[in-house]
Amino acid sequence: MEILRALQEEATVNSRFAEQYPYIKRLITGELFEVQEALKQKVQQNVEYHFNQAINCGGYALKVDTCVFPSDADFDTRVSGILDNFPFVRLLGDTELQEDEYLVLYRARRAGHHFIRIEEDGTVTEKNGSDEPQKFQDWETLRQAPEAVFAVKKEHDMNYFKKRGSIVIPEENSKNFEQTVWEAMQNRKNTFTYHNHNYRLKKATEETIYICSGEEIVAEMITNGEEYDLEIRPEKERYVSNTQPKRPIVIKDGKCQREETHIK
């Protein structure tokens, strides 16, 4: 056909047109359904490519359409910021992973941070910058960094931050445990929540406040109303942080070794 010959000649000198020529040829020769399917596949590939270019390790692990950059704060404050900003994320702690959740591990220190995602089959995946997602290799410089284990809802709003108009977390009002207790006192609140735990304040003396979980004292604060000193009881430090589950998540050769023990 003359028209096909002309189009083929154009494709040899026009690289952009050359990409479309195979589809146009199939359309002209009557392969309409095949072209539709091929174009849909091409569009999907382009969407996935540009999506991967636009997100970092946090966006990939939490399945949101933006980069996640926790601020330069202490580890607990970073974790609090993630929980504050993503209502579909909770700390696993010593609870069980539910069927509608998947696991995300997060490590951070001053030098950097990284998120990794554990798939349903136990495969651990990660994404570095604008690179393609890959099988998890190693924590590298974060081998000794503290780790938070998140349970993330499988079904959630991927466009969450576009609606919020923000891409950077945590928010400026994200606080660590000390700051959260102090804010509750300043606002005359007898109860507050931190890292999935409920706490209440109990006055012991004029200057001593107990911070309780149920009937147990987890910390105490000495304050004159203007300044304060808070001390978490050593045996309750892990409970307050609530990042590590009782059964550590073991990763070997890019595979989660004990995933089944965390699923209820």
Side-chain angles (χ1 to χ4, degrees):
M1 296 174 66
E2 288 298 322
I3 188 169
L4 279 178
R5 194 175 302 114
L7 291 173
Q8 187 172 25
E9 290 176 0
E10 177 65 18
T12 60
V13 296
N14 187 330
S15 59
R16 294 187 65 182
F17 178 72
E19 294 182 9
Q20 308 304 322
Y21 172 71
Y23 303 117
I24 296 173
K25 178 182 177 182
R26 291 166 71 181
L27 277 173
I28 293 173
T29 55
E31 300 177 47
L32 181 59
F33 176 76
E34 288 81 357
V35 170
Q36 287 178 327
E37 291 303 306
L39 285 173
K40 281 165 60 177
Q41 185 176 7
K42 183 69 173 177
V43 168
Q44 182 63 28
Q45 289 173 348
N46 287 338
V47 168
E48 290 179 2
Y49 172 78
H50 290 295
F51 179 75
N52 285 330
Q53 291 290 306
I55 62 174
N56 66 350
C57 61
Y60 171 75
L62 299 179
K63 299 182 182 179
V64 292
D65 61 349
T66 189
C67 292
V68 178
F69 295 113
S71 67
D72 186 17
D74 65 83
F75 184 71
D76 276 7
T77 305
R78 292 187 186 205
V79 170
S80 297
I82 294 167
L83 298 174
D84 288 346
N85 281 271
F86 298 105
F88 48 84
V89 176
R90 69 179 180 89
L91 275 167
L92 185 66
D94 58 2
T95 63
E96 298 287 342
L97 187 71
Q98 302 299 307
E99 290 184 0
D100 63 345
E101 296 175 325
Y102 67 94
L103 290 174
V104 166
L105 275 57
Y106 172 68
R107 290 190 182 189
R109 61 182 184 184
R110 295 290 181 184
H113 75 109
H114 194 49
F115 293 82
I116 63 174
R117 187 167 93 195
I118 299 180
E119 309 291 353
E120 286 193 62
D121 66 354
T123 301
V124 186
T125 57
E126 65 178 344
K127 186 177 186 300
N128 293 307
S130 61
D131 295 345
E132 291 291 311
Q134 63 180 5
K135 194 172 182 180
F136 175 66
Q137 302 296 320
D138 188 77
W139 284 111
E140 298 180 347
T141 60
L142 297 173
R143 289 177 192 172
Q144 303 303 318
E147 179 179 276
V149 181
F150 295 119
V152 184
K153 289 289 185 183
K154 292 178 182 176
E155 300 295 330
H156 63 258
D157 186 3
M158 180 178 286
N159 300 312
Y160 186 69
F161 272 106
K162 284 189 176 180
K163 294 180 180 178
R164 292 284 299 271
S166 170
I167 64 170
V168 179
I169 67 167
E171 296 176 337
E172 292 181 3
N173 62 352
S174 296
K175 299 172 179 64
N176 60 22
F177 187 71
E178 275 192 34
Q179 295 165 329
T180 304
V181 173
W182 182 243
E183 183 182 73
M185 290 185 60
Q186 293 295 91
N187 293 330
R188 301 184 182 280
K189 291 183 178 179
N190 293 324
T191 61
F192 65 92
T193 302
Y194 182 76
H195 288 191
N196 305 138
H197 290 313
N198 295 320
Y199 297 93
R200 65 185 178 88
L201 303 178
K202 181 179 179 181
K203 192 170 184 179
T205 68
E206 284 300 317
E207 294 188 342
T208 304
I209 306 294
Y210 289 149
I211 297 91
C212 304
S213 176
E215 296 303 316
E216 288 189 272
I217 299 172
V218 299
E220 58 185 75
M221 175 179 281
I222 307 297
T223 179
N224 59 8
E226 295 180 2
E227 297 179 341
Y228 67 90
D229 179 47
L230 183 139
E231 184 175 344
I232 300 173
R233 298 194 168 181
E235 70 274 14
K236 291 297 181 183
E237 286 181 358
R238 190 170 177 275
Y239 176 85
V240 169
S241 181
N242 193 31
T243 52
Q244 286 278 17
K246 286 183 177 178
R247 296 182 296 273
I249 295 173
V250 179
I251 297 172
K252 184 178 180 181
D253 298 326
K255 195 90 169 179
C256 178
Q257 301 299 300
R258 297 182 60 187
E259 183 185 20
E260 71 281 355
T261 65
H262 296 280
I263 300 178
K264 188 173 182 178

